[in-house]
């Protein structure tokens, strides 16, 4: 009996030891998520091992403290589970192991900017919680695994800039939650599958550019009602006609169909009306608006459809040479007679309206052109110092005939220096009726270019908009040139954002910033779309966005560099304060124009384009959102410093990296705005607009009209 009891005791002891050993080793061993990540580490070429993997230790019980790994407590699990892996931009050479599919709670996989090779494992589809896969900028090969489309939560799939090949699987339509799909710069071929795009109702970004896709454009792409930004199908081998159904896409969508083999007439319905010619370049067989290349069989130009032109041409063909010569001689005589009459009237008026330099003329009202004496504005004046005096003979010309004042008022009024720069001295002048105006003194040379100057300034004066500083008049004399514009009383956006001391200003609420952003976009869109010449501003920055007492914005300095050139000055600075109430004499360091210029604007000899303005406006938006000026030294976590003048703004790079890493909004947004929790969705929306404006490729930037439409839908 005792021997039997001893056997039982030994048996229980053995079981106890086994259980202890089992649970002891279980407590000390690495979790399954950690083992899956170690499989990835073992796939890395040791010669390219990144410091990120330095603390990926197999002796740990959990990978949650490892660099680039994020975890979260999941109900019904004792240990936290891996939800994000971020080993981006490290340059590591590795293949993707199938063990990554074992991370069943993984939500975000970010391995872009490395040297990953080999295929994308189909087993990755076992990580059913994945909503974002960022593998762009690697050397992955093989096809797009169809099982990826079985991921129920997949929203972001960016596989661009790899070596993937094969055709697009039709099962892509199963990714019903997909919002962003970028397969650009790969080797995909075959036709773009049709009949799947209506199932992708949440898609807001689609980029299939720089592949080898052939065949026609699927008509059901026009059913992507949530699409925004650019539909990019450029640099493929697509052929056939452009389906008119693409006109059903939202009006904010820009097309990029460049460098394909498309043919036929470009439709003009719906969204096509908002596209510029660059969207269709490189398709030699395309014709119609906006390419300015008429279609041969177009009903608009067909002689059969225009009997008047047909009969006219027939009648001209029937004219005899003698009759044609007689008609031409009669036309020439008539033109000559008309010219003599015009010259006679001109000299009669000139004689009747001649005047001496008395300073008694009135600016505005009737003729708008009076002689007068220049009353000073000497360069030696300082702020608060009244100036007066006499000068030489010149012309004071009213641009706005409704703006009336005596020339003596301008010459005798007190003037206060507001600022000095390479673009001239600016004064605040209070007229006799109490109305203040801003007077800019341009220069003393350039007398021989008066006609060019007058033509340019008249064109600028015709630009009228509630968000553009109004030019009222100008004065021209051989030794003096002045511009007279509205005085905007509350400084500029640069001061409002940073204060006089350069520190952030707490006075700008989110609603105020959004108001300024919208008003500036309205003014800029007017310059681009509605002004007589469809102008380019060329120098959008905070100091050129003036504010009144109600924080309504006014774009200033439009056309100023051209006028200064014609006036004979040689500007040495890009700063300028036309219509402004700036208290200092040079731009703040954070307002240097270089920081707001697009990469394509920094290329020597390049011609200004409206996309330059779009980029600059985007940088201004980012400055309003983050509260940070755009130069490198002001950023708390800068990326690699700019080594080339062609680089994008450092602020742009910093914000883009923050979004790629999915940093908290609180890390990027101006702390002043964090108090307005209700505005979070609006802030994010404007961030996306700003990032679209600051694309390095000018063709990917939206038009200001599109930017304005997107902003108008944001907030009240």
């Amino acid at each position: 009996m005792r021997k039997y009891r001893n056997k039982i005791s030994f048996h229980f002891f053995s079981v106890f030891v086994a259980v202890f050993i089992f649970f002891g080793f279980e407590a000390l061993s690495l979790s399954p998520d950690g083992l899956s990540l170690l499989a990835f580490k073992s796939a890395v070429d040791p010669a390219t091992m990144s410091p990120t993997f330095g603390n990926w230790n197999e002796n740990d019980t959990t990978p949650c403290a490892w660099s680039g790994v994020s975890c979260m407590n999941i109900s019904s699990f004792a240990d936290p589970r891996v939800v994000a892996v971020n080993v981006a931009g490290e340059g590591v050479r590795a293949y993707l192991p199938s063990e990554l599919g074992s991370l069943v709670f993984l939500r975000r996989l970010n391995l872009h900017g490395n040297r990953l090779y080999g295929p994308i494992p189909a087993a990755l589809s076992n990580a059913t919680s994945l909503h974002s896969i960022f593998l762009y900028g690697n050397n992955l090969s093989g096809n797009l695994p169809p099982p990826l489309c079985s991921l129920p939560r997949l929203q972001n799939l960016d596989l661009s800039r790899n070596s993937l090949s094969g055709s697009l699987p039709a099962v892509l339509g199963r990714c019903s939650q997909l919002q962003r799909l970028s397969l650009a710069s790969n080797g995909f071929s075959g036709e773009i599958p049709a009949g799947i795009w209506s199932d992708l109702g949440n898609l807001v970004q689609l980029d299939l550019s720089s592949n080898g896709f052939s065949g026609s454009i699927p008509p059901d792409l026009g059913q992507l009602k949530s699409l925004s930004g650019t539909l990019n199908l450029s640099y493929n081998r697509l052929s056939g006609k452009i389906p008119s159904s693409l006109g059903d896409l939202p009006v904010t969508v820009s097309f990029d169909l460049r460098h394909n083999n498309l043919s036929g007439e470009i439709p003009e319905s719906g969204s096509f009306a908002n596209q510029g010619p660059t969207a269709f370049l490189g398709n030699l067989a395309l014709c119609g608006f906006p390419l300015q290349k008429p279609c041969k069989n177009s009903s608009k130009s067909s002689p059969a459809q225009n009997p008047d032109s047909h009969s006219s041409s027939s009648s001209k063909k029937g004219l005899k040479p003698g009759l044609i010569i007689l008609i031409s001689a009669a036309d020439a005589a008539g033109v000559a007679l008309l010219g003599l009459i015009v010259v006679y009237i001109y000299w009669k008026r000139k004689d009747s309206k001649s005047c001496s330099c008395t300073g008694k003329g009135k600016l505005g009202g009737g003729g708008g052109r009076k002689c007068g004496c220049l009353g000073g504005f000497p360069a030696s004046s300082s702020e608060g110092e009244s100036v007066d005096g006499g000068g030489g003979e010149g012309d004071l010309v009213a641009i706005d005939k409704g703006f009336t004042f005596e020339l003596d008022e301008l010459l005798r009024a007190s003037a206060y220096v507001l600022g000095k720069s390479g673009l001239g001295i600016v004064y605040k002048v209070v007229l006799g009726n109490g109305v203040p105006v801003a007077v800019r003194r341009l220069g003393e040379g350039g007398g021989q270019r008066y006609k060019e100057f007058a033509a340019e300034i008249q064109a600028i004066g015709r630009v009228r908009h509630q968000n553009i500083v109004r030019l009222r008049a100008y004065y021209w004399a051989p030794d003096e040139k002045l511009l007279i514009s509205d005085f905007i009383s509350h400084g500029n956006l640069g001061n409002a954002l940073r204060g006089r001391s350069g520190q952030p200003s707490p006075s700008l609420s989110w609603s105020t910033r959004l108001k300024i952003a919208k008003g500036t976009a309205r003014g800029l869109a007017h310059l681009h779309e509605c002004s007589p010449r469809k102008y380019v501003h060329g120098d959008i920055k905070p100091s050129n966005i003036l504010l009144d007492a109600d924080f309504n914005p006014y774009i200033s300095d439009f056309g100023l560099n051209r006028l200064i050139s014609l006036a004979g000055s040689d500007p040495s600075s890009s700063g300028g304060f036309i219509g402004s109430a700036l208290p200092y004499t040079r731009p703040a360091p954070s307002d240097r124009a270089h920081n707001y210029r697009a990469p394509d604007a920094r290329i020597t000899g390049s011609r200004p384009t409206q996309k330059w303005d779009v980029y600059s406006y985007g940088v201004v938006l980012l400055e309003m959102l983050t509260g940070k000026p755009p130069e490198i030294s002001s950023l708390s976590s800068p990326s690699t410093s700019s080594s080339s003048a062609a680089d994008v703004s450092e602020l742009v790079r910093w914000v883009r990296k923050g979004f790629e890493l999915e940093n908290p909004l609180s890390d990027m947004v101006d702390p002043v705005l964090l108090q307005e929790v209700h505005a979070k969705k609006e802030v994010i929306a404007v961030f996306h607009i700003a990032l679209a404006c600051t694309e390095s490729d000018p063709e990917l930037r939206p038009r200001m009209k599109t930017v304005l439409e997107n902003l108008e839908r944001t907030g009240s």
Side-chain angles (χ1 to χ4, degrees), residues 1 45 58 80 163 216 310 326 396 497 584 587 673 692:
M1 188 70 177
D45 184 340
E58 61 183 1
S163 300
S216 58
H310 178 74
L326 183 61
L396 184 59
L497 283 172
Y584 42 80
L673 302 181

Side-chain angles (χ1 to χ4, degrees), residues 403-482:
F403 190 74
T404 305
F405 64 90
E406 296 286 346
L407 180 58
D408 279 351
E409 293 182 54
L410 180 64
L411 305 183
R412 297 173 181 174
S414 297
Y416 308 95
V417 174
L418 297 173
K420 303 176 183 178
S421 76
L423 297 189
I425 304 173
V426 182
Y427 302 86
K428 174 185 176 182
V429 178
V430 181
L431 302 177
N433 58 3
V435 175
V437 293
V439 178
R440 177 186 291 277
R441 185 169 184 248
L442 294 183
E444 299 179 357
Q448 71 280 6
R449 306 188 70 180
Y450 171 72
K451 290 183 179 180
E452 294 179 68
F453 181 90
E456 188 72 20
I457 207 168
Q458 290 289 347
I460 293 172
R462 284 193 291 270
V463 176
R464 307 285 179 86
H465 191 269
Q466 65 268 26
N467 296 113
I468 299 176
V469 173
R470 189 78 167 271
L471 185 62
R472 299 292 187 173
Y474 70 92
Y475 179 90
W476 176 281
D479 59 347
E480 193 69 85
K481 287 89 183 172
L482 305 175

Side-chain angles (χ1 to χ4, degrees), residues 173-177 195-202 220 223-224:
R174 297 179 186 173
C175 295
S176 58
Q177 301 301 315
I196 68 171
W197 304 102
S198 59
D199 298 325
L200 301 178
N202 296 311
D220 58 323
Q223 299 183 33
L224 296 174

Side-chain angles (χ1 to χ4, degrees), residues 355-362 371-373 393 407-408 411-412:
C355 62
S356 60
C357 182
T358 61
K360 301 294 185 181
K362 177 181 288 189
C371 297
C373 302
E393 185 176 356
L407 180 58
D408 279 351
L411 305 183
R412 297 173 181 174

Side-chain angles (χ1 to χ4, degrees), residues 281-302:
L281 295 179
N283 294 277
L284 300 181
L286 277 181
C287 60
F289 180 84
L291 291 180
Q292 305 301 322
K293 179 183 177 183
C295 298
K296 293 182 180 179
N297 298 323
S298 174
S299 60
K300 296 177 182 179
S301 59
S302 174

Side-chain angles (χ1 to χ4, degrees), residues 352-582:
S352 64
K353 291 193 174 184
S354 62
C355 62
S356 60
C357 182
T358 61
K360 301 294 185 181
K362 177 181 288 189
L363 179 65
R369 182 182 185 274
K370 300 293 180 182
C371 297
C373 302
L374 175 64
F377 302 114
S380 60
S381 302
S382 59
E383 183 174 1
E385 180 184 349
S386 177
V387 293
D388 53 25
E393 185 176 356
D395 294 328
L396 184 59
V397 183
I399 304 297
D400 181 4
K401 294 184 179 180
F403 190 74
T404 305
F405 64 90
E406 296 286 346
L407 180 58
D408 279 351
E409 293 182 54
L410 180 64
L411 305 183
R412 297 173 181 174
S414 297
Y416 308 95
V417 174
L418 297 173
K420 303 176 183 178
S421 76
L423 297 189
I425 304 173
V426 182
Y427 302 86
K428 174 185 176 182
V429 178
V430 181
L431 302 177
N433 58 3
V435 175
V437 293
V439 178
R440 177 186 291 277
R441 185 169 184 248
L442 294 183
E444 299 179 357
Q448 71 280 6
R449 306 188 70 180
Y450 171 72
K451 290 183 179 180
E452 294 179 68
F453 181 90
E456 188 72 20
I457 207 168
Q458 290 289 347
I460 293 172
R462 284 193 291 270
V463 176
R464 307 285 179 86
H465 191 269
Q466 65 268 26
N467 296 113
I468 299 176
V469 173
R470 189 78 167 271
L471 185 62
R472 299 292 187 173
Y474 70 92
Y475 179 90
W476 176 281
D479 59 347
E480 193 69 85
K481 287 89 183 172
L482 305 175
L483 296 180
I484 302 157
S485 64
D486 285 346
F487 176 79
I488 310 301
S489 59
H490 277 61
N492 61 56
L493 179 59
N495 277 342
L497 283 172
R498 299 184 289 272
R500 298 292 172 89
S501 61
Q503 299 301 315
S505 172
S507 61
L508 288 184
S509 65
W510 170 243
S511 60
T512 300
R513 297 185 199 209
L514 192 57
K515 177 181 181 179
I516 295 170
K518 289 180 179 180
T520 305
R522 291 188 196 104
L524 202 50
H526 180 83
L527 279 179
H528 286 187
E529 306 284 348
C530 304
S531 57
R533 296 187 190 175
K534 299 188 182 300
Y535 289 101
V536 176
H537 185 286
D539 196 18
I540 294 296
K541 55 186 179 179
S543 69
N544 284 343
I545 300 172
L546 311 182
L547 304 174
D548 65 12
D550 297 319
F551 291 100
N552 294 305
Y554 299 81
I555 297 174
S556 70
D557 279 17
F558 163 57
L560 185 57
N561 280 302
R562 170 71 173 157
L563 291 176
I564 288 177
S565 174
L566 293 173
S569 297
D570 183 18
S572 59
S573 167
S574 61
F577 321 107
I578 187 168
S580 173
L582 290 177

